[in-house]
Amino acid sequence: MPCSAVTLSLATISAIIAVALLAIAFSTDNWQSYEVKRTNIQNFIAKHPDAAALTDSFNNRLIYYTRTRGLFRYCYPKERPPASSVQIYLSPVETHCSNIDYFPANEEHKESDSFTDDIMTRLHLARSVIAAFILSFVVIFCAFWTGLSGCWKRSAGAITATAILMLTACLLAAGAMGLWHTVEFFEKEKVVGEEYYQQWNTVLRDNTRLSYDWSYIVAWAGVACSLLASILLSGAAVCLRGEREKEEQLNLQYLMPVYPQKQPPYPYGGFPQPQLYPQPYYHGSQYGPYNY
């Protein structure tokens, strides 16, 4: 009992923490941080009055503003770009943000004909990140019900199924993180759009610092906690099986077999023991061969 109870408690706590961390990471906007040193760029523009194109981009394009990036939004903690260049709104945490477009389209075509293979690959990978996270949440929801049933019935089979589901959710979330890193690779190493690193000008590259933010760390922590919950649930299932076997062995001691008794009953004191078979029966007279 102590083994399974303690292990199940730890597994439940780990699973709850995993779900909370993954949900926080999925919904927040701090996966990456782009810190743009706008003052340095302004000084460069002041020294080069002929850089009219750079001046226009500096004032209107979002890539020249300090921002954080999540799975769904760019947010601007300091200055924000003008509303004419991008649609800005207040997020639930009162931060000015703009949406990430996962379905770029124009009026005539569903997808622009100018999209290269690298652009389309990056786009599909980015969509897959969202899909993988959603699938992991669905699997965790299923694991909740199997785990509840296993704890209520103390069923090792249901707990094992819960461990498998949590491991599946862990793999899906880890796969989503892997896809996210693949998207990051495409944005850094491939030509996939003017808003990404490969097509930035030298001034912007030299004055932008890119780093991972706290939502990214929380996501990996959620993956680790889901893996820990799966391992603990597997251990709890082993404990439950061991405890069930011990209970069955104890119960066998009270199940004594009862067989019909073929020997005579135990003689009572002072009384002769009854015979199973009568004495030999002699035909004839009780006086032997003499018959009077």
Side-chain angles (χ1 to χ4, degrees):
M1 180 70 71
C3 173
S4 61
V6 172
T7 312
L8 277 174
S9 299
L10 293 175
T12 302
I13 294 172
S14 299
I16 292 173
I17 293 174
V19 174
L21 293 176
L22 289 174
I24 290 171
F26 185 73
S27 59
T28 52
D29 308 306
N30 295 84
W31 284 66
Q32 285 181 314
S33 175
Y34 298 81
E35 184 180 353
V36 181
K37 299 176 182 178
R38 287 177 58 82
T39 303
N40 293 348
I41 300 177
Q42 283 179 328
N43 293 335
F44 179 87
I45 293 173
K47 294 178 181 179
H48 300 80
D50 56 335
L54 179 59
T55 303
D56 182 68
S57 298
F58 177 79
N59 293 324
N60 296 307
R61 296 185 61 186
L62 64 88
I63 58 176
Y64 285 86
Y65 290 83
T66 296
R67 60 200 181 279
T68 61
R69 178 184 178 182
L71 296 180
F72 300 100
R73 290 182 291 266
Y74 286 106
C75 292
Y76 309 94
K78 297 180 180 179
E79 301 178 63
R80 61 180 185 270
S84 58
S85 61
V86 63
Q87 185 177 0
I88 304 293
Y89 63 93
L90 282 176
S91 70
V93 293
E94 300 296 322
T95 306
H96 291 91
C97 300
S98 60
N99 289 329
I100 295 176
D101 189 6
Y102 284 102
F103 297 92
N106 54 31
E107 296 180 357
E108 298 179 357
H109 304 283
K110 293 183 178 180
E111 291 178 343
S112 176
D113 296 333
S114 62
F115 284 180
T116 64
D117 291 340
D118 287 339
I119 293 176
M120 291 307 303
T121 301
R122 189 209 70 85
L123 188 59
H124 290 314
L125 288 170
R127 294 169 181 171
S128 299
V129 173
I130 306 300
F133 270 117
I134 292 174
L135 284 177
S136 69
F137 288 124
V138 172
V139 173
I140 290 174
F141 179 76
C142 297
F144 169 78
W145 293 107
T146 57
L148 186 65
S149 174
C151 291
W152 181 262
K153 299 178 181 179
R154 292 186 59 78
S155 169
I159 298 298
T160 302
T162 306
I164 294 173
L165 288 173
M166 285 302 299
L167 179 61
T168 304
C170 172
L171 294 176
L172 285 169
M177 296 299 296
L179 290 171
W180 185 86
H181 277 288
T182 307
V183 173
E184 181 190 24
F185 170 80
F186 268 78
E187 292 175 354
K188 287 184 176 180
E189 304 298 333
K190 305 289 185 179
V191 178
V192 290
E194 295 181 355
E195 65 270 27
Y196 301 113
Y197 184 80
Q198 282 295 323
Q199 292 185 258
W200 290 357
N201 58 53
T202 304
V203 177
L204 182 59
R205 288 186 184 183
D206 293 341
N207 292 283
T208 300
R209 185 173 67 88
L210 175 62
S211 60
Y212 298 119
D213 215 336
W214 62 266
S215 295
Y216 168 83
I217 299 172
V218 167
W220 275 119
V223 173
C225 286
S226 61
L227 177 60
L228 177 62
S230 175
I231 294 172
L232 290 173
L233 285 167
S234 300
V238 173
C239 289
L240 283 173
R241 288 193 184 93
E243 292 169 3
R244 181 66 58 84
E245 290 175 358
K246 289 180 180 179
E247 291 176 0
E248 291 176 354
Q249 291 175 359
L250 290 175
N251 292 334
L252 285 175
Q253 297 178 4
Y254 301 99
L255 299 177
M256 302 299 294
V258 178
Y259 300 101
Q261 302 294 326
K262 295 183 178 180
Q263 66 272 18
Y266 189 78
Y268 295 97
F271 295 94
Q273 181 177 357
Q275 300 293 325
L276 284 175
Y277 303 101
Q279 296 294 330
Y281 181 76
Y282 297 98
H283 295 279
S285 172
Q286 61 179 336
Y287 299 103
Y290 303 98
N291 188 7
Y292 298 99

